[in-house]
Amino acid sequence: MTQLTVIGTGVIGNGWIARGLANGWDVVAFDPAADAEQRSRAFVDNAWPALEQLGLADGASRERLRFVADMDEAVKGADLIQENVPERLELKQEILAQLDALAAADVVIGSSTSGFKPSDLQRDCHKAAGRVIVAHPFNPVYLLPLVELVGGEATTSEHMERAQQYYRDLDMRPLVVRREIEGHIADRLMEALWREALHLVNDGVATTEEIDAAVIYGCGLRWSLMGTFLTFHLAGGEQGMRHMLEQFGPALKLPWTKLEAPELTDQLIDRVVEGCEYQAAGRPVAELDRRRDDFLVELLGLTRKYWPEAEGLEGRI
């Protein structure tokens, strides 16, 4: 049996737990919080109906989750270790150094960091630093298939090939980032949109609901199938991207967007929070999670139907 060890069980860590269980893996988890196991099991229970709709692997069972008292016990028998502690570099370096010292030298250790570079994460790992890589997933981890894999200075192609196979075994789509950079690929794109959205709220141009509607009923529908570049390729008509750039390229010089984030003043925070609470309409997060999951299960089915070559994404990067 294949074992996934999860260190840190917040939203992302619990997402890894649910994905591992749904794919028929044994999952061992460690988190020092007193209520960690209770929260994780409740999280998995809430995610399980969506995973059943998507299709469980042979041997998939919620009973294959085991919590342990320390990291030493957690890494025993691990095939893949996923670290998910809070996004503080010194804390991650400390935890990853401990995992590197405890785990067998051939065990892949992935960090769920959304921003840090793997060479920085490997700094204090002296046993087998190359196997410590960035393995950045997307929430909800148990449904969204993308995982960005980034190697550091000590990482070899053999390390990355082995990592890719493990994540493929978890039914994920590994995207190997060509060189390490803060924020990797997807988060840098999302941050650009997020900064602009905050400016629109701050300047009184739109509410949070109106901005979300612009994405949901406009660009988001196209992006879910074709992404950014292929969408613009179609905008060029029969001549494709070259004509699109000739036609609309000059507009890139116009000062439409604001690259710097706005200051998070109390007023802006209140506008964003109040807008989101209005959109949530009193529904608890667990209910919103299930609604999102039901939608994503159907959307994933459509994506697989219309874009089957995406199954081989990592082979073309």
Side-chain angles (χ1 to χ4, degrees), residues 18 39-51 62 142 285-294:
R39 286 187 293 104
S40 291
R41 294 193 183 278
F43 183 101
V44 171
D45 287 344
N46 196 57
W48 208 252
L51 289 165
R62 285 172 280 185
Y142 52 90
V285 169
E287 179 183 336
L288 294 173
D289 279 344
R290 289 192 297 271
R291 180 171 180 262
R292 174 204 62 197
D293 290 356
D294 288 343

Side-chain angles (χ1 to χ4, degrees), residues 213-226:
V215 175
I216 292 167
Y217 302 113
C219 53
L221 288 171
R222 301 183 302 189
W223 286 343
S224 64
L225 176 65
M226 294 185 174

Side-chain angles (χ1 to χ4, degrees), residues 106-177:
D106 61 343
V107 176
V108 173
I109 302 174
S111 173
S112 294
T113 180
S114 60
F116 296 132
K117 295 195 293 187
S119 290
D120 294 331
L121 299 176
Q122 294 173 348
R123 189 192 67 181
D124 299 326
C125 299
H126 304 299
K127 183 176 182 179
R131 47 75 176 270
V132 177
I133 64 171
V134 166
H136 174 229
F138 296 84
N139 186 44
V141 180
Y142 52 90
L143 291 182
L144 295 186
L146 182 64
V147 57
E148 295 178 315
L149 302 184
V150 195
E153 294 173 0
T155 304
T156 66
S157 58
E158 289 76 17
H159 287 122
M160 294 304 290
E161 287 168 8
R162 191 148 44 89
Q164 285 182 75
Q165 188 56 58
Y166 278 123
Y167 290 106
R168 281 195 292 263
D169 290 345
L170 283 168
D171 198 25
M172 304 192 84
R173 301 295 171 263
L175 171 59
V176 178
V177 180

Side-chain angles (χ1 to χ4, degrees), residues 197-207 210-211 258 268 271:
L198 288 175
H199 275 295
L200 293 171
V201 173
N202 193 53
D203 296 345
V205 174
T207 65
E210 291 162 350
I211 292 168
K258 301 178 180 180
L268 176 55
R271 285 181 180 178

Side-chain angles (χ1 to χ4, degrees), residues 169-305:
D169 290 345
L170 283 168
D171 198 25
M172 304 192 84
R173 301 295 171 263
L175 171 59
V176 178
V177 180
R178 292 173 181 267
R179 63 184 181 88
E180 54 183 324
I181 184 174
E182 291 90 346
H184 325 314
I185 297 174
D187 270 9
R188 293 175 77 94
L189 297 172
M190 290 189 293
E191 281 294 323
L193 180 62
W194 175 233
R195 286 193 295 269
E196 193 64 23
L198 288 175
H199 275 295
L200 293 171
V201 173
N202 193 53
D203 296 345
V205 174
T207 65
T208 61
E209 183 179 24
E210 291 162 350
I211 292 168
D212 283 352
V215 175
I216 292 167
Y217 302 113
C219 53
L221 288 171
R222 301 183 302 189
W223 286 343
S224 64
L225 176 65
M226 294 185 174
T228 304
F229 282 98
L230 196 56
T231 292
F232 281 136
H233 177 67
L234 269 62
E238 291 298 324
Q239 298 177 58
M241 177 60 80
R242 185 170 300 279
H243 180 65
M244 183 272 172
L245 290 174
E246 292 171 352
Q247 187 81 2
F248 299 105
L252 294 173
K253 296 292 186 180
L254 298 177
W256 287 359
T257 56
K258 301 178 180 180
L259 298 179
E260 296 293 330
E263 182 181 353
L264 281 178
T265 62
D266 290 343
Q267 182 183 41
L268 176 55
I269 291 171
D270 287 344
R271 285 181 180 178
V272 172
V273 171
E274 289 167 7
C276 291
E277 289 177 346
Y278 173 80
Q279 289 177 258
R283 291 169 291 187
V285 169
E287 179 183 336
L288 294 173
D289 279 344
R290 289 192 297 271
R291 180 171 180 262
R292 174 204 62 197
D293 290 356
D294 288 343
F295 172 80
L296 286 176
V297 167
E298 293 189 43
L299 184 59
L300 283 167
L302 284 172
T303 302
R304 290 169 176 169
K305 176 181 177 181

